[in-house]
């Protein structure tokens, strides 16, 4: 999709199939004229002569005069529309046949079928929103919880943009002071700002950018789900646990060792938090090439997880722990570790008191294995019998500990924004170092301009190429 094709008049079905009502959006210089060619009001003037923000009842007609449907047409005039262009929205009955007939009539009259995200792209190009707000539209459509909805709504309403605008003003002020210092460097009697003031402004900027960067871990977890890796030996019950948590047969369960050879991912909502469970291949010594690749991926997913569920067969807990402790524990530093003693239903009544099984097993493991991390949580359950799952679910929610967000909280959840902020943070760190080392103003100014550039990338102030914008908007749905 060429971003320069904004003078075309485009149309698209903007509602999902299966509903009672279907809406077709038309946008462009000839949107009203082309809609008029296929629409006849029941009474009164044609659309071109009507006031904006009005609804008109009438019929969609073929060139031969056949009625396709009774519809309502909403009328918007530039620049006061979503795209900033003349626009109409045709509300039809939800029949896929009717919607396709109306689309074909519009295309015959000169419309072009819109590409993914082209309406929002036009809104950006016409100054109706900045790039971060445009990206928030896709996040809002994809939101699946109250938290993700609040994040997207705040960003779409300009909360993130306002935060960046404040940063930009501070950076411009700092830059202007540095430039003045350069311009009047031969007048030693003039002083526009001493270095301590410049350092103070740079510190304020650094703190704000650093805070925004730090929010990404929370934002990414809210948007994509808290990653939870399920690891352990073959046949410890990892896939059975995944199926029990999801309450569906998501993974193949078998007594044959090495059944799971690749990672399986699925999400579920617990306590308003989305968790992304990752069932991994069983870890063991093997000469099977495919299984070895699966085990390698298991360790990769373990490294990426925030929470690790190490599933151990309760009937041979100490043996399995000793076999994998040196492989798993070093990779769990900085993560929440839950040791799940599975198959508790197979323990004889002489082995453990059912009511206190968790405490007994934990005491036993700590006595036999002094290197068990102090902050590791040990739970006893039966995935097959679905016993003890509620305790595990509660522990997962406690470990996630995601904050309650309001619509005023600025949280970074977009990887593109995070990368741009990270580069801006590196640039402002160089500014601070340059000021501390008394470097010349021209060197410090270069890093200031780079910081401004990276912040500008987020809102679109410095993005000019078709390729970058096309890559962003191609992930939108048709009609938006």
């Amino acid at each position: 999709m060429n971003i320069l094709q904004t003078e075309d008049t485009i149309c698209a079905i903007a509602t999902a199939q299966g509903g009672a009502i279907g809406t077709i959006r038309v946008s462009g210089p000839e949107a009203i004229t082309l809609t008029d060619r296929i629409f006849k009001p029941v009474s009164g003037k044609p659309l071109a002569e009507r006031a904006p923000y009005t609804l008109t009842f009438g019929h969609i007609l073929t060139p031969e005069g056949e009625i396709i449907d009774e519809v309502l047409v909403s009328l918007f005039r530039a620049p006061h529309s979503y795209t900033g262009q003349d626009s109409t929205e045709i509300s039809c009955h939800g029949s896929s046949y009717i919607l396709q007939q109306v689309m074909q009539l519009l295309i015959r009259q000169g419309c072009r079928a819109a590409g993914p995200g082209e309406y929002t792209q036009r809104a950006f190009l016409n100054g109706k929103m900045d790039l971060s707000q445009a990206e928030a539209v896709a996040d809002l459509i994809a939101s699946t919880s109250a938290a993700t909805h609040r994040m997207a709504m705040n960003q779409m309403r300009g909360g993130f943009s306002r935060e960046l605008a404040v940063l930009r003003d501070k950076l411009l002020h700092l830059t202007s002071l540095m430039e003045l210092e350069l311009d009047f460097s031969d007048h030693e009697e003039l002083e526009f700002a001493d270095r301590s003031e410049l350092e103070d402004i740079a510190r304020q900027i650094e703190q704000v950018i650093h805070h925004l960067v730090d929010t990404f871990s929370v934002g990414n977890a809210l948007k994509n789900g808290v990653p939870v890796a399920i690891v352990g030996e073959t046949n410890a019950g990892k896939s059975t646990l995944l199926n029990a948590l999801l309450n569906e047969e998501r993974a193949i369960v078998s007594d044959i060792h090495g059944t799971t050879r690749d990672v399986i991912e699925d999400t579920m909502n617990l306590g308003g938090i989305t968790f992304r469970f990752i069932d991994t291949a069983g870890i063991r010594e093997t000469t099977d090439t495919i299984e070895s690749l699966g085990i390698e991926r298991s360790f990769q997913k373990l490294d990426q997880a925030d929470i690790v569920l190490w599933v151990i067969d309760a009937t041979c807990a100490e043996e399995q722990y000793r076999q994998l402790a040196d492989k798993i524990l070093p990779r769990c530093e900085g993560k929440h570790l839950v040791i799940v003693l599975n198959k508790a239903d197979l323990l004889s009544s002489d082995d453990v008191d059912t009511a206190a099984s968790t405490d007994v097993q934990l005491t036993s493991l700590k006595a036999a294995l002094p290197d068990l991390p102090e902050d590791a949580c040990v739970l006893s359950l039966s995935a097959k019998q679905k016993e003890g799952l509620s305790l595990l679910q509660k522990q997962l929610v406690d470990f996630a500990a995601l904050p309650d967000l309001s619509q005023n909280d600025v949280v970074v959840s977009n990887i593109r924004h995070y990368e741009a902020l990270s580069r801006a943070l590196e640039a402002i760190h160089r500014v601070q170092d340059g000021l501390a080392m008394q470097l010349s103003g021209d060197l410090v100014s270069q890093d200031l301009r780079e910081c401004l550039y990276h912040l500008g990338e987020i809102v679109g102030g410095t993005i000019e190429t078709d390729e970058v914008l096309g890559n962003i908007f191609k992930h939108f749905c048709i009609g938006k």
Side-chain angles (χ1 to χ4, degrees):
M1 175 175 54
N2 190 327
I3 68 168
L4 300 179
Q5 292 179 328
T6 56
E7 295 307 307
D8 294 350
T9 297
I10 57 175
C11 60
I13 300 171
T15 47
Q17 290 186 1
I21 301 296
T23 300
I24 292 175
R25 308 178 88 180
V26 187
S27 179
E30 296 186 271
I32 300 172
T33 301
L34 297 183
T35 305
D36 254 335
R37 291 179 185 174
I38 69 168
F39 173 72
K40 183 179 180 180
V42 168
S43 62
K45 299 174 289 188
L47 295 173
E49 299 176 19
R50 292 180 182 263
Y53 318 119
T54 55
L55 283 174
T56 305
F57 176 67
H59 300 107
I60 297 294
L61 302 173
T62 66
E64 296 75 29
E66 178 186 352
I67 296 177
I68 297 298
D69 196 15
E70 293 182 341
V71 302
L72 283 172
V73 177
S74 308
L75 180 63
F76 307 90
R77 294 188 185 276
H80 305 296
S81 70
Y82 180 76
T83 60
Q85 300 176 313
D86 285 348
S87 302
T88 62
E89 292 186 0
I90 306 171
S91 297
C92 317
H93 289 95
S95 160
S96 58
Y97 171 79
I98 291 173
L99 292 168
Q100 290 300 327
Q101 287 296 303
V102 177
M103 283 289 294
Q104 289 177 27
L105 288 172
L106 286 167
I107 290 170
R108 287 174 193 164
Q109 294 300 326
C111 280
R112 171 174 62 80
E118 191 166 0
Y119 291 91
T120 304
Q121 186 186 77
R122 289 188 177 202
F124 164 69
L125 293 173
N126 290 326
K128 303 299 290 185
M129 59 180 70
D130 65 36
L131 196 56
S132 70
Q133 290 173 294
E135 290 171 297
V137 173
D139 289 342
L140 186 65
I141 294 171
S143 61
T144 56
S145 67
T148 53
H149 172 266
R150 290 192 189 103
M151 277 198 308
M153 184 59 73
N154 178 43
Q155 186 174 325
M156 195 175 76
R157 293 170 60 201
F160 187 28
S161 302
R162 287 191 293 273
E163 191 87 9
L164 293 176
V166 172
L167 270 177
R168 183 176 181 275
D169 288 344
K170 288 184 178 180
L171 277 165
L172 287 174
H173 177 60
L174 182 55
T175 303
S176 65
L177 292 175
M178 295 300 302
E179 297 292 346
L180 283 171
E181 182 181 280
L182 288 172
D183 291 341
F184 295 92
S185 58
D186 54 338
H187 296 271
E188 295 182 1
E189 71 279 6
L190 296 177
E191 185 178 271
F192 297 96
D194 59 30
R195 286 287 168 131
S196 62
E197 180 184 350
L198 298 177
E199 289 172 356
D200 183 60
I201 298 172
R203 183 168 57 254
Q204 294 174 26
I205 295 169
E206 189 273 341
Q207 288 174 347
V208 176
I209 298 177
H210 196 283
H211 169 71
L212 290 172
V213 168
D214 284 347
T215 66
F216 178 71
S217 59
V218 172
N220 187 53
L222 288 171
K223 182 177 178 180
N224 300 311
V226 179
V228 181
I230 305 176
V231 302
E233 281 199 27
T234 58
N235 262 25
K238 300 182 300 300
S239 296
T240 304
L241 179 60
L242 175 67
N243 291 341
L245 287 168
L246 299 175
N247 201 28
E248 64 173 289
E249 296 301 311
R250 182 67 177 81
I252 297 174
V253 176
S254 170
D255 291 334
I256 302 172
H257 288 265
T259 302
T260 303
R261 296 193 170 202
D262 202 352
V263 296
I264 299 173
E265 298 190 24
D266 212 333
T267 60
M268 74 174 298
N269 191 290
L270 293 173
I273 301 171
T274 300
F275 290 88
R276 179 159 47 89
F277 292 102
I278 309 162
D279 181 23
T280 64
I283 301 171
R284 65 170 180 168
E285 296 296 330
T286 180
T287 57
D288 187 296
T289 304
I290 302 300
E291 189 177 354
S292 296
L293 289 173
I295 294 171
E296 183 179 337
R297 289 188 181 182
S298 297
F299 287 121
Q300 292 173 357
K301 293 298 181 181
L302 193 160
D303 292 338
Q304 297 168 12
D306 290 341
I307 301 174
V308 178
L309 303 185
W310 180 3
V311 182
I312 295 176
D313 187 335
T315 62
C316 51
E318 185 175 333
E319 177 187 348
Q320 287 199 0
Y321 183 91
R322 288 184 181 279
Q323 288 177 347
L324 294 183
D326 60 336
K327 294 183 176 69
I328 292 179
L329 291 181
R331 295 174 180 266
C332 292
E333 292 183 11
K335 306 178 187 295
H336 295 294
L337 172 62
V338 182
I339 295 179
V340 179
L341 300 172
N342 189 29
K343 305 184 183 181
D345 55 309
L346 299 182
L347 294 173
S348 67
S349 57
D350 296 334
D351 293 332
V352 63
D353 173 30
T354 304
S357 59
T358 301
D359 293 337
V360 171
Q361 288 288 350
L362 178 57
T363 302
S364 176
L365 274 174
K366 284 190 172 182
L369 306 164
D371 59 340
L372 181 70
E374 288 295 327
D375 56 351
C377 173
V378 181
L379 299 175
S380 179
L381 56 79
S382 170
K384 185 176 182 180
Q385 302 299 327
K386 297 185 179 180
E387 296 174 354
L389 291 180
S390 59
L391 200 60
L392 174 58
Q393 292 171 342
K394 181 181 182 302
Q395 188 63 62
L396 288 171
V397 172
D398 290 344
F399 275 156
L402 296 179
D404 292 329
L405 300 180
S406 72
Q407 287 191 0
N408 296 321
D409 291 326
V410 177
V411 177
V412 177
S413 62
N414 185 304
I415 185 65
R416 190 182 71 82
H417 301 170
Y418 170 72
E419 290 174 348
L421 285 167
S422 297
R423 290 191 289 268
L425 185 62
E426 292 172 2
I428 199 65
H429 281 160
R430 290 196 296 273
V431 170
Q432 290 178 294
D433 292 341
L435 291 172
M437 293 186 292
Q438 300 290 313
L439 294 181
S440 64
D442 55 341
L443 294 176
V444 177
S445 292
Q446 177 58 38
D447 289 324
L448 278 171
R449 284 192 289 269
E450 186 174 337
C451 186
L452 274 166
Y453 172 83
H454 292 310
L455 293 181
E457 284 184 306
I458 297 172
V459 295
T462 58
I463 294 182
E464 301 172 353
T465 66
D466 290 12
E467 182 180 357
V468 175
L469 286 178
N471 184 60
I472 290 171
F473 288 104
K474 73 181 181 181
H475 299 295
F476 279 61
C477 55
I478 300 292
K480 197 62 183 179

